[in-house]
Amino acid sequence: MPHSNALKEFQSSLEMVEALLELERKYKNPPRKEEQKAVQALRGSAIVLMVASFEYFLRQVMEERLTELATPHSKVQFNKLPDKMQVCSIFNTLERAMKGEPFKEPTQKINRLTDIELACKIVLLKNVHPPAFNDSGSNPSPDTIGHLD
């Protein structure tokens, strides 16, 4: 993978996971009764951090790669992309502009006009809009991850 900030951040997060697991390894297995909560906390924290880091990595790496398609010098033309990507880019770009960013407090319509004009330009110029692909609002399922290749 070419230079990737997403990968660097993911590797950094995995180092934090490893630090948690290093602390957990200092306890006996199985832990003594009075140490069980500490061991469970370390193991649970490591798992949560691992999963959250992986989800964030998937979103960030996807946006990095899609940003490469959004440059004027991209070797891939918009109309050569799979239909599903074209539909996702166009519809989600327009929907984000019309409704506002997902998971944020909606703004008044008058305050969205600039975003709508920009979205229309993106669509008319047949550009990929990377944020349009990150609006799932849920954790990536195994099927989603399988289709990233």
Side-chain angles (χ1 to χ4, degrees), residues 3 5 7 17-18 30 34 36 67 73 76 78-79 84 92 97 101 103 105 113 115 122 126 137 139 142-143 145 149:
H3 171 74
N5 287 328
L7 182 58
V17 168
E18 187 58 40
E34 64 272 7
Q36 285 181 347
T67 299
H73 307 293
V76 180
F78 186 84
N79 61 351
K84 284 184 177 183
N92 289 354
E101 287 193 44
F103 319 111
E105 191 69 31
L113 292 180
D115 291 339
I122 290 169
K126 296 193 181 284
N139 298 334
D143 288 339
I145 293 168
D149 55 358

Side-chain angles (χ1 to χ4, degrees), residues 128-148:
V128 171
H129 188 54
F133 292 86
N134 281 337
D135 290 349
S136 71
S138 63
N139 298 334
S141 68
D143 288 339
T144 304
I145 293 168
H147 288 97
L148 291 178

Side-chain angles (χ1 to χ4, degrees), residues 91-109 111-113 115-116 119 135:
F91 277 79
N92 289 354
T93 297
L94 294 172
E95 190 169 319
R96 282 173 67 96
M98 296 294 291
K99 295 181 179 177
E101 287 193 44
F103 319 111
K104 290 190 178 177
E105 191 69 31
T107 58
Q108 293 182 349
K109 289 180 180 180
N111 295 330
R112 287 185 243 146
L113 292 180
D115 291 339
I116 293 168
D135 290 349

